[in-house]
Amino acid sequence: LDWGNSNRTTEQKVDDFMNMVVGLNDKLGFEHQHRTYAVLVLLLFFIRVVVYMRVHPRIAVLYATIIEMSADFFHFCILFITLFCVLAFLAMWTFGDKVADFGNFWTACYTQFRMLVGEFQMPTGENSGFDITFGFYTIVYFVVVLSLLLNFFLAIVVDSYSNVKDAIVHCKVENNVIWDVLATFSFPVLAFIHGWPQRGTILEKVLRADIDQDFNNDEDQFDLPVRVEDMEKFGIITGKDRAALFFKHYHRICPALDFDHEDKDSTLEHTTILRNQIALDGIRHAVLGEARLPKRG
């Protein structure tokens, strides 16, 4: 804005300046609106990433835990919000005229939220000391919200997480996520080299085949073995050599698919050391003729 322009009056210059201020304010408002929309989009992207993590059981822990706890969390929210609002109204009604942080209902709710994350604004200076109403409210809030409700929430999360972890432990077909990803992307190449059908075609044919010829659906029969001969007999994979390579491939990447597979329980470290010492003692006895170590009952 050229304030030194003598061809325009002062009123015109002020009008131009105010129009510029209004235009700048509109641009700032548009930028604020744009930032708000961008934040919403980023939050949606964050939710999308969490949902996409369900692609593998070992990285789907967060998503699976949220789904597992959704029902209990919904009822917990009803209880929490009700008690939280009642305490906020109680604080506003009792000493809201004395303590500015509880001056109205929404300010009281915000103050309680700050207390929830550990920011207690206790009276200081001339207002310090124990006030019966504020002290009673603080004790009730601490016992009900901080001591009980928060521990209820943690119990719901831990219990749901425990259920998810148990499900992962009992899952027989998953491995390390890196290994499973490599196996997933390597299958199309191996299928092209060995002449295997695509996974969807194999799955559809296996589900349609009546392996034991009992005219019943085999999908629910977990103790029914599928052999190389069955793959060729029912036209799932043509050729015994191709079927054998297919079985060898999946036996390598997922040993739990083997019909005779047995899970190995986790062994304590001292038990492993003891087994190694017993094996070494046997080798010394057989090769060097040394006496065996005495067994301890």
Side-chain angles (χ1 to χ4, degrees):
L1 181 62
D2 185 11
W3 291 98
N5 187 359
S6 59
N7 295 326
R8 299 181 62 85
T9 62
T10 303
E11 293 181 356
Q12 291 176 334
K13 295 177 182 178
V14 171
D15 290 340
D16 293 340
F17 174 76
M18 295 306 298
N19 290 331
M20 294 175 62
V21 171
V22 171
L24 180 61
N25 187 53
D26 292 339
K27 291 182 178 180
L28 291 175
F30 175 78
E31 183 180 357
H32 177 73
Q33 187 178 18
H34 179 75
R35 284 178 172 268
T36 302
Y37 291 152
V39 169
L40 293 177
V41 171
L42 290 176
L43 289 176
L44 291 177
F45 284 163
F46 174 77
I47 297 174
R48 188 175 183 179
V49 169
V50 173
V51 174
Y52 278 178
M53 288 296 103
R54 63 179 179 173
V55 68
H56 192 275
R58 291 192 180 273
I59 60 175
V61 176
L62 176 59
Y63 176 82
T65 302
I66 293 175
I67 298 300
E68 179 72 19
M69 63 178 282
S70 58
D72 292 334
F73 181 71
F74 172 74
H75 295 92
F76 169 80
C77 286
I78 295 176
L79 174 64
F80 180 84
I81 293 173
T82 302
L83 296 180
F84 191 86
C85 292
V86 169
L87 288 174
F89 181 81
L90 174 65
M92 179 199 68
W93 182 266
T94 305
F95 46 81
D97 56 337
K98 301 177 183 177
V99 182
D101 289 337
F102 299 91
N104 57 65
F105 177 76
W106 296 112
T107 303
C109 289
Y110 175 67
T111 302
Q112 287 189 157
F113 173 76
R114 291 164 54 192
M115 295 168 64
L116 190 64
V117 297
E119 187 180 347
F120 280 84
Q121 295 290 338
M122 305 301 293
T124 58
E126 297 179 356
N127 297 325
S128 62
F130 183 79
D131 181 75
I132 185 64
T133 55
F134 185 78
F136 175 77
Y137 160 80
T138 304
I139 294 173
V140 172
Y141 183 84
F142 175 81
V143 172
V144 174
V145 177
L146 296 182
S147 298
L148 295 179
L149 291 181
L150 283 186
N151 285 286
F152 290 168
F153 174 72
L154 291 177
I156 292 173
V157 174
V158 172
D159 186 58
S160 301
Y161 174 77
S162 178
N163 294 336
V164 171
K165 288 294 293 181
D166 290 340
I168 294 176
V169 170
H170 290 90
C171 183
K172 304 298 182 183
V173 296
E174 55 83 24
N175 296 297
N176 181 280
V177 60
I178 304 299
W179 178 254
D180 284 344
V181 170
L182 292 176
T184 300
F185 284 100
S186 64
F187 181 84
V189 179
L190 295 175
F192 176 78
I193 295 174
H194 298 297
W196 300 335
Q198 295 300 316
R199 283 183 290 250
T201 303
I202 295 175
L203 179 60
E204 181 180 357
K205 290 182 178 181
V206 170
L207 293 176
R208 291 179 179 273
D210 186 8
I211 303 297
D212 54 1
Q213 298 294 297
D214 61 352
F215 302 101
N216 292 321
N217 190 356
D218 296 337
E219 185 176 355
D220 298 328
Q221 301 183 28
F222 299 102
D223 57 347
L224 181 63
V226 180
R227 301 177 176 85
V228 174
E229 295 79 7
D230 298 325
M231 300 292 282
E232 185 181 25
K233 176 182 177 181
F234 293 98
I236 301 173
I237 296 179
T238 57
K240 288 186 178 181
D241 293 338
R242 292 179 178 178
L245 288 173
F246 179 82
F247 271 76
K248 184 178 180 181
H249 168 70
Y250 270 99
H251 177 77
R252 182 173 62 254
I253 66 173
C254 188
L257 291 177
D258 193 344
F259 186 75
D260 298 325
H261 175 78
E262 294 183 0
D263 292 331
K264 296 181 179 180
D265 297 332
S266 57
T267 307
L268 298 177
E269 183 178 1
H270 71 275
T271 305
T272 304
I273 295 175
L274 178 60
R275 290 177 180 176
N276 294 336
Q277 290 180 346
I278 293 174
L280 182 61
D281 180 58
I283 295 174
R284 288 176 176 174
H285 175 73
V287 177
L288 302 178
E290 297 181 358
R292 283 185 173 274
L293 295 176
K295 296 182 178 180
R296 297 181 180 180

PDB file of all heavy atoms in Angstrom, residues 1 10 29 47 69 87 90 110 119 124 136 166 170 188 205 207-209 234 240 242 245 249 273 280-282:
ATOM      1  N   LEU A   1       0.854  -1.185   0.000  1.00  0.00           N
ATOM      2  CA  LEU A   1       0.000   0.000   0.000  1.00  0.00           C
ATOM      3  C   LEU A   1       0.894   1.241   0.000  1.00  0.00           C
ATOM      4  O   LEU A   1       1.745   1.418   0.868  1.00  0.00           O
ATOM      5  CB  LEU A   1      -0.916   0.008   1.226  1.00  0.00           C
ATOM      6  CG  LEU A   1      -1.877   1.198   1.312  1.00  0.00           C
ATOM      7  CD1 LEU A   1      -2.831   1.219   0.128  1.00  0.00           C
ATOM      8  CD2 LEU A   1      -2.637   1.149   2.623  1.00  0.00           C
ATOM      9  N   THR A  10      -7.065  10.053   2.087  1.00  0.00           N
ATOM     10  CA  THR A  10      -6.750   9.234   3.266  1.00  0.00           C
ATOM     11  C   THR A  10      -7.820   8.167   3.484  1.00  0.00           C
ATOM     12  O   THR A  10      -7.514   7.028   3.856  1.00  0.00           O
ATOM     13  CB  THR A  10      -6.644  10.118   4.508  1.00  0.00           C
ATOM     14  OG1 THR A  10      -5.644  11.131   4.283  1.00  0.00           O
ATOM     15  CG2 THR A  10      -6.264   9.312   5.735  1.00  0.00           C
ATOM     16  N   GLY A  29      -7.861 -17.734   7.497  1.00  0.00           N
ATOM     17  CA  GLY A  29      -8.955 -18.660   7.794  1.00  0.00           C
ATOM     18  C   GLY A  29      -8.943 -19.874   6.885  1.00  0.00           C
ATOM     19  O   GLY A  29      -9.185 -21.007   7.324  1.00  0.00           O
ATOM     20  N   ILE A  47      -5.299 -44.456  11.215  1.00  0.00           N
ATOM     21  CA  ILE A  47      -6.236 -45.557  11.444  1.00  0.00           C
ATOM     22  C   ILE A  47      -6.085 -46.618  10.367  1.00  0.00           C
ATOM     23  O   ILE A  47      -6.140 -47.831  10.638  1.00  0.00           O
ATOM     24  CB  ILE A  47      -7.679 -45.020  11.496  1.00  0.00           C
ATOM     25  CG1 ILE A  47      -7.845 -44.062  12.686  1.00  0.00           C
ATOM     26  CG2 ILE A  47      -8.688 -46.158  11.588  1.00  0.00           C
ATOM     27  CD1 ILE A  47      -9.196 -43.372  12.727  1.00  0.00           C
ATOM     28  N   MET A  69     -11.280 -55.989  22.828  1.00  0.00           N
ATOM     29  CA  MET A  69     -11.746 -55.237  23.992  1.00  0.00           C
ATOM     30  C   MET A  69     -12.882 -54.274  23.669  1.00  0.00           C
ATOM     31  O   MET A  69     -13.328 -53.546  24.559  1.00  0.00           O
ATOM     32  CB  MET A  69     -10.581 -54.430  24.577  1.00  0.00           C
ATOM     33  CG  MET A  69     -10.022 -53.377  23.641  1.00  0.00           C
ATOM     34  SD  MET A  69      -8.692 -52.377  24.350  1.00  0.00           S
ATOM     35  CE  MET A  69      -9.638 -51.258  25.376  1.00  0.00           C
ATOM     36  N   LEU A  87     -18.874 -35.942  38.707  1.00  0.00           N
ATOM     37  CA  LEU A  87     -17.862 -35.306  39.545  1.00  0.00           C
ATOM     38  C   LEU A  87     -17.562 -33.881  39.069  1.00  0.00           C
ATOM     39  O   LEU A  87     -17.329 -32.988  39.890  1.00  0.00           O
ATOM     40  CB  LEU A  87     -16.588 -36.144  39.531  1.00  0.00           C
ATOM     41  CG  LEU A  87     -16.649 -37.465  40.300  1.00  0.00           C
ATOM     42  CD1 LEU A  87     -15.374 -38.277  40.093  1.00  0.00           C
ATOM     43  CD2 LEU A  87     -16.866 -37.214  41.791  1.00  0.00           C
ATOM     44  N   LEU A  90     -20.388 -31.810  40.282  1.00  0.00           N
ATOM     45  CA  LEU A  90     -20.267 -31.658  41.737  1.00  0.00           C
ATOM     46  C   LEU A  90     -19.241 -30.590  42.084  1.00  0.00           C
ATOM     47  O   LEU A  90     -19.488 -29.737  42.961  1.00  0.00           O
ATOM     48  CB  LEU A  90     -19.879 -33.000  42.359  1.00  0.00           C
ATOM     49  CG  LEU A  90     -19.577 -32.990  43.860  1.00  0.00           C
ATOM     50  CD1 LEU A  90     -20.831 -32.643  44.655  1.00  0.00           C
ATOM     51  CD2 LEU A  90     -19.016 -34.335  44.310  1.00  0.00           C
ATOM     52  N   TYR A 110     -12.393 -30.116  31.748  1.00  0.00           N
ATOM     53  CA  TYR A 110     -11.016 -29.969  31.274  1.00  0.00           C
ATOM     54  C   TYR A 110     -10.033 -30.051  32.436  1.00  0.00           C
ATOM     55  O   TYR A 110      -8.963 -30.669  32.323  1.00  0.00           O
ATOM     56  CB  TYR A 110     -10.866 -28.644  30.543  1.00  0.00           C
ATOM     57  CG  TYR A 110      -9.450 -28.345  30.114  1.00  0.00           C
ATOM     58  CD1 TYR A 110      -8.823 -29.121  29.139  1.00  0.00           C
ATOM     59  CD2 TYR A 110      -8.733 -27.307  30.705  1.00  0.00           C
ATOM     60  CE1 TYR A 110      -7.517 -28.861  28.752  1.00  0.00           C
ATOM     61  CE2 TYR A 110      -7.432 -27.041  30.312  1.00  0.00           C
ATOM     62  CZ  TYR A 110      -6.828 -27.818  29.347  1.00  0.00           C
ATOM     63  OH  TYR A 110      -5.539 -27.569  28.969  1.00  0.00           O
ATOM     64  N   GLU A 119      -1.734 -33.568  36.359  1.00  0.00           N
ATOM     65  CA  GLU A 119      -1.526 -32.132  36.613  1.00  0.00           C
ATOM     66  C   GLU A 119      -2.545 -31.648  37.640  1.00  0.00           C
ATOM     67  O   GLU A 119      -3.617 -31.143  37.300  1.00  0.00           O
ATOM     68  CB  GLU A 119      -1.656 -31.350  35.312  1.00  0.00           C
ATOM     69  CG  GLU A 119      -1.291 -29.880  35.463  1.00  0.00           C
ATOM     70  CD  GLU A 119      -1.411 -29.110  34.164  1.00  0.00           C
ATOM     71  OE1 GLU A 119      -1.535 -29.762  33.114  1.00  0.00           O
ATOM     72  OE2 GLU A 119      -1.383 -27.872  34.199  1.00  0.00           O
ATOM     73  N   THR A 124      -2.424 -22.700  46.546  1.00  0.00           N
ATOM     74  CA  THR A 124      -1.160 -22.257  47.128  1.00  0.00           C
ATOM     75  C   THR A 124      -1.338 -20.861  47.698  1.00  0.00           C
ATOM     76  O   THR A 124      -2.330 -20.171  47.423  1.00  0.00           O
ATOM     77  CB  THR A 124      -0.040 -22.249  46.069  1.00  0.00           C
ATOM     78  OG1 THR A 124      -0.431 -21.397  44.989  1.00  0.00           O
ATOM     79  CG2 THR A 124       0.221 -23.653  45.545  1.00  0.00           C
ATOM     80  N   PHE A 136     -12.769 -33.194  50.122  1.00  0.00           N
ATOM     81  CA  PHE A 136     -13.658 -34.344  49.928  1.00  0.00           C
ATOM     82  C   PHE A 136     -13.763 -34.698  48.436  1.00  0.00           C
ATOM     83  O   PHE A 136     -13.683 -35.880  48.054  1.00  0.00           O
ATOM     84  CB  PHE A 136     -15.039 -34.028  50.491  1.00  0.00           C
ATOM     85  CG  PHE A 136     -16.056 -35.099  50.241  1.00  0.00           C
ATOM     86  CD1 PHE A 136     -16.063 -36.265  50.993  1.00  0.00           C
ATOM     87  CD2 PHE A 136     -17.006 -34.948  49.236  1.00  0.00           C
ATOM     88  CE1 PHE A 136     -17.000 -37.260  50.749  1.00  0.00           C
ATOM     89  CE2 PHE A 136     -17.943 -35.939  48.989  1.00  0.00           C
ATOM     90  CZ  PHE A 136     -17.938 -37.105  49.753  1.00  0.00           C
ATOM     91  N   ASP A 166      -2.473 -65.391  23.316  1.00  0.00           N
ATOM     92  CA  ASP A 166      -2.763 -66.829  23.350  1.00  0.00           C
ATOM     93  C   ASP A 166      -3.187 -67.330  21.972  1.00  0.00           C
ATOM     94  O   ASP A 166      -2.800 -68.433  21.555  1.00  0.00           O
ATOM     95  CB  ASP A 166      -3.863 -67.121  24.377  1.00  0.00           C
ATOM     96  CG  ASP A 166      -3.382 -66.921  25.800  1.00  0.00           C
ATOM     97  OD1 ASP A 166      -2.159 -66.935  26.015  1.00  0.00           O
ATOM     98  OD2 ASP A 166      -4.235 -66.741  26.700  1.00  0.00           O
ATOM     99  N   HIS A 170      -1.250 -70.219  19.680  1.00  0.00           N
ATOM    100  CA  HIS A 170      -1.915 -71.423  19.188  1.00  0.00           C
ATOM    101  C   HIS A 170      -2.079 -71.433  17.665  1.00  0.00           C
ATOM    102  O   HIS A 170      -2.577 -72.421  17.111  1.00  0.00           O
ATOM    103  CB  HIS A 170      -3.295 -71.559  19.837  1.00  0.00           C
ATOM    104  CG  HIS A 170      -3.228 -71.902  21.304  1.00  0.00           C
ATOM    105  ND1 HIS A 170      -3.189 -70.940  22.288  1.00  0.00           N
ATOM    106  CD2 HIS A 170      -3.154 -73.091  21.940  1.00  0.00           C
ATOM    107  CE1 HIS A 170      -3.118 -71.525  23.477  1.00  0.00           C
ATOM    108  NE2 HIS A 170      -3.096 -72.830  23.291  1.00  0.00           N
ATOM    109  N   PRO A 188       4.553 -67.030  -6.363  1.00  0.00           N
ATOM    110  CA  PRO A 188       4.238 -66.905  -7.803  1.00  0.00           C
ATOM    111  C   PRO A 188       5.413 -67.277  -8.702  1.00  0.00           C
ATOM    112  O   PRO A 188       5.213 -67.882  -9.767  1.00  0.00           O
ATOM    113  CB  PRO A 188       3.859 -65.422  -7.956  1.00  0.00           C
ATOM    114  CG  PRO A 188       3.392 -65.018  -6.606  1.00  0.00           C
ATOM    115  CD  PRO A 188       4.258 -65.766  -5.652  1.00  0.00           C
ATOM    116  N   LYS A 205      -9.892 -76.155  -5.172  1.00  0.00           N
ATOM    117  CA  LYS A 205      -9.932 -77.578  -5.515  1.00  0.00           C
ATOM    118  C   LYS A 205      -9.826 -78.460  -4.276  1.00  0.00           C
ATOM    119  O   LYS A 205     -10.468 -79.511  -4.187  1.00  0.00           O
ATOM    120  CB  LYS A 205      -8.817 -77.910  -6.500  1.00  0.00           C
ATOM    121  CG  LYS A 205      -9.025 -77.328  -7.893  1.00  0.00           C
ATOM    122  CD  LYS A 205      -7.915 -77.740  -8.839  1.00  0.00           C
ATOM    123  CE  LYS A 205      -8.164 -77.199 -10.249  1.00  0.00           C
ATOM    124  NZ  LYS A 205      -7.090 -77.620 -11.193  1.00  0.00           N
ATOM    125  N   LEU A 207     -10.898 -77.682  -1.284  1.00  0.00           N
ATOM    126  CA  LEU A 207     -12.180 -77.610  -0.596  1.00  0.00           C
ATOM    127  C   LEU A 207     -13.264 -78.428  -1.307  1.00  0.00           C
ATOM    128  O   LEU A 207     -14.164 -78.978  -0.662  1.00  0.00           O
ATOM    129  CB  LEU A 207     -12.630 -76.148  -0.458  1.00  0.00           C
ATOM    130  CG  LEU A 207     -11.777 -75.267   0.453  1.00  0.00           C
ATOM    131  CD1 LEU A 207     -12.284 -73.837   0.421  1.00  0.00           C
ATOM    132  CD2 LEU A 207     -11.804 -75.794   1.886  1.00  0.00           C
ATOM    133  N   ARG A 208     -13.169 -78.511  -2.607  1.00  0.00           N
ATOM    134  CA  ARG A 208     -14.167 -79.274  -3.362  1.00  0.00           C
ATOM    135  C   ARG A 208     -13.896 -80.783  -3.315  1.00  0.00           C
ATOM    136  O   ARG A 208     -14.814 -81.588  -3.496  1.00  0.00           O
ATOM    137  CB  ARG A 208     -14.193 -78.821  -4.820  1.00  0.00           C
ATOM    138  CG  ARG A 208     -14.754 -77.421  -5.028  1.00  0.00           C
ATOM    139  CD  ARG A 208     -14.720 -77.041  -6.493  1.00  0.00           C
ATOM    140  NE  ARG A 208     -15.279 -75.722  -6.725  1.00  0.00           N
ATOM    141  CZ  ARG A 208     -16.577 -75.476  -6.926  1.00  0.00           C
ATOM    142  NH1 ARG A 208     -17.440 -76.489  -6.921  1.00  0.00           N
ATOM    143  NH2 ARG A 208     -17.015 -74.240  -7.132  1.00  0.00           N
ATOM    144  N   ALA A 209     -12.655 -81.178  -3.075  1.00  0.00           N
ATOM    145  CA  ALA A 209     -12.302 -82.598  -3.102  1.00  0.00           C
ATOM    146  C   ALA A 209     -12.795 -83.310  -1.839  1.00  0.00           C
ATOM    147  O   ALA A 209     -12.727 -82.754  -0.735  1.00  0.00           O
ATOM    148  CB  ALA A 209     -10.795 -82.756  -3.224  1.00  0.00           C
ATOM    149  N   PHE A 234      -7.148 -86.055  -7.408  1.00  0.00           N
ATOM    150  CA  PHE A 234      -8.280 -85.138  -7.519  1.00  0.00           C
ATOM    151  C   PHE A 234      -7.987 -83.955  -8.439  1.00  0.00           C
ATOM    152  O   PHE A 234      -8.741 -82.983  -8.460  1.00  0.00           O
ATOM    153  CB  PHE A 234      -8.672 -84.629  -6.123  1.00  0.00           C
ATOM    154  CG  PHE A 234      -9.235 -85.693  -5.228  1.00  0.00           C
ATOM    155  CD1 PHE A 234      -8.430 -86.328  -4.297  1.00  0.00           C
ATOM    156  CD2 PHE A 234     -10.561 -86.073  -5.331  1.00  0.00           C
ATOM    157  CE1 PHE A 234      -8.939 -87.319  -3.471  1.00  0.00           C
ATOM    158  CE2 PHE A 234     -11.075 -87.059  -4.512  1.00  0.00           C
ATOM    159  CZ  PHE A 234     -10.270 -87.696  -3.585  1.00  0.00           C
ATOM    160  N   LYS A 240       3.084 -86.270 -10.028  1.00  0.00           N
ATOM    161  CA  LYS A 240       3.539 -86.515  -8.660  1.00  0.00           C
ATOM    162  C   LYS A 240       4.771 -85.687  -8.318  1.00  0.00           C
ATOM    163  O   LYS A 240       4.932 -85.252  -7.175  1.00  0.00           O
ATOM    164  CB  LYS A 240       3.848 -88.003  -8.482  1.00  0.00           C
ATOM    165  CG  LYS A 240       2.614 -88.894  -8.438  1.00  0.00           C
ATOM    166  CD  LYS A 240       2.998 -90.331  -8.121  1.00  0.00           C
ATOM    167  CE  LYS A 240       1.749 -91.212  -8.033  1.00  0.00           C
ATOM    168  NZ  LYS A 240       2.093 -92.621  -7.707  1.00  0.00           N
ATOM    169  N   ARG A 242       5.568 -82.680  -9.379  1.00  0.00           N
ATOM    170  CA  ARG A 242       5.148 -81.302  -9.062  1.00  0.00           C
ATOM    171  C   ARG A 242       4.478 -81.248  -7.698  1.00  0.00           C
ATOM    172  O   ARG A 242       4.733 -80.325  -6.906  1.00  0.00           O
ATOM    173  CB  ARG A 242       4.201 -80.791 -10.138  1.00  0.00           C
ATOM    174  CG  ARG A 242       4.855 -80.575 -11.499  1.00  0.00           C
ATOM    175  CD  ARG A 242       3.840 -80.097 -12.513  1.00  0.00           C
ATOM    176  NE  ARG A 242       4.458 -79.835 -13.807  1.00  0.00           N
ATOM    177  CZ  ARG A 242       3.781 -79.442 -14.878  1.00  0.00           C
ATOM    178  NH1 ARG A 242       2.464 -79.281 -14.813  1.00  0.00           N
ATOM    179  NH2 ARG A 242       4.424 -79.231 -16.016  1.00  0.00           N
ATOM    180  N   LEU A 245       7.132 -81.562  -4.989  1.00  0.00           N
ATOM    181  CA  LEU A 245       7.838 -80.292  -4.806  1.00  0.00           C
ATOM    182  C   LEU A 245       6.979 -79.268  -4.074  1.00  0.00           C
ATOM    183  O   LEU A 245       7.479 -78.487  -3.258  1.00  0.00           O
ATOM    184  CB  LEU A 245       8.273 -79.742  -6.168  1.00  0.00           C
ATOM    185  CG  LEU A 245       9.421 -80.474  -6.867  1.00  0.00           C
ATOM    186  CD1 LEU A 245       9.635 -79.924  -8.267  1.00  0.00           C
ATOM    187  CD2 LEU A 245      10.704 -80.364  -6.045  1.00  0.00           C
ATOM    188  N   HIS A 249       7.989 -77.630  -0.570  1.00  0.00           N
ATOM    189  CA  HIS A 249       8.055 -76.171  -0.403  1.00  0.00           C
ATOM    190  C   HIS A 249       7.307 -75.730   0.847  1.00  0.00           C
ATOM    191  O   HIS A 249       7.855 -74.979   1.672  1.00  0.00           O
ATOM    192  CB  HIS A 249       7.481 -75.489  -1.645  1.00  0.00           C
ATOM    193  CG  HIS A 249       7.227 -74.032  -1.474  1.00  0.00           C
ATOM    194  ND1 HIS A 249       8.238 -73.098  -1.356  1.00  0.00           N
ATOM    195  CD2 HIS A 249       6.054 -73.333  -1.375  1.00  0.00           C
ATOM    196  CE1 HIS A 249       7.719 -71.888  -1.200  1.00  0.00           C
ATOM    197  NE2 HIS A 249       6.406 -72.005  -1.213  1.00  0.00           N
ATOM    198  N   ILE A 273      21.064 -76.732  29.088  1.00  0.00           N
ATOM    199  CA  ILE A 273      22.466 -76.955  29.468  1.00  0.00           C
ATOM    200  C   ILE A 273      22.648 -78.362  30.015  1.00  0.00           C
ATOM    201  O   ILE A 273      23.634 -79.051  29.705  1.00  0.00           O
ATOM    202  CB  ILE A 273      22.905 -75.899  30.502  1.00  0.00           C
ATOM    203  CG1 ILE A 273      22.879 -74.495  29.857  1.00  0.00           C
ATOM    204  CG2 ILE A 273      24.292 -76.217  31.046  1.00  0.00           C
ATOM    205  CD1 ILE A 273      23.183 -73.380  30.844  1.00  0.00           C
ATOM    206  N   LEU A 280      27.263 -84.699  26.043  1.00  0.00           N
ATOM    207  CA  LEU A 280      28.724 -84.642  26.028  1.00  0.00           C
ATOM    208  C   LEU A 280      29.325 -85.751  26.881  1.00  0.00           C
ATOM    209  O   LEU A 280      30.356 -86.350  26.514  1.00  0.00           O
ATOM    210  CB  LEU A 280      29.191 -83.264  26.528  1.00  0.00           C
ATOM    211  CG  LEU A 280      30.708 -83.021  26.536  1.00  0.00           C
ATOM    212  CD1 LEU A 280      31.262 -83.138  25.121  1.00  0.00           C
ATOM    213  CD2 LEU A 280      31.002 -81.632  27.110  1.00  0.00           C
ATOM    214  N   ASP A 281      28.695 -86.055  28.003  1.00  0.00           N
ATOM    215  CA  ASP A 281      29.167 -87.145  28.858  1.00  0.00           C
ATOM    216  C   ASP A 281      29.088 -88.482  28.126  1.00  0.00           C
ATOM    217  O   ASP A 281      29.985 -89.336  28.246  1.00  0.00           O
ATOM    218  CB  ASP A 281      28.340 -87.182  30.142  1.00  0.00           C
ATOM    219  CG  ASP A 281      28.777 -88.308  31.073  1.00  0.00           C
ATOM    220  OD1 ASP A 281      29.948 -88.337  31.468  1.00  0.00           O
ATOM    221  OD2 ASP A 281      27.919 -89.169  31.385  1.00  0.00           O
ATOM    222  N   GLY A 282      28.010 -88.692  27.356  1.00  0.00           N
ATOM    223  CA  GLY A 282      27.880 -89.921  26.582  1.00  0.00           C
ATOM    224  C   GLY A 282      28.959 -90.038  25.517  1.00  0.00           C
ATOM    225  O   GLY A 282      29.499 -91.125  25.264  1.00  0.00           O
TER     226      GLY A 282
END
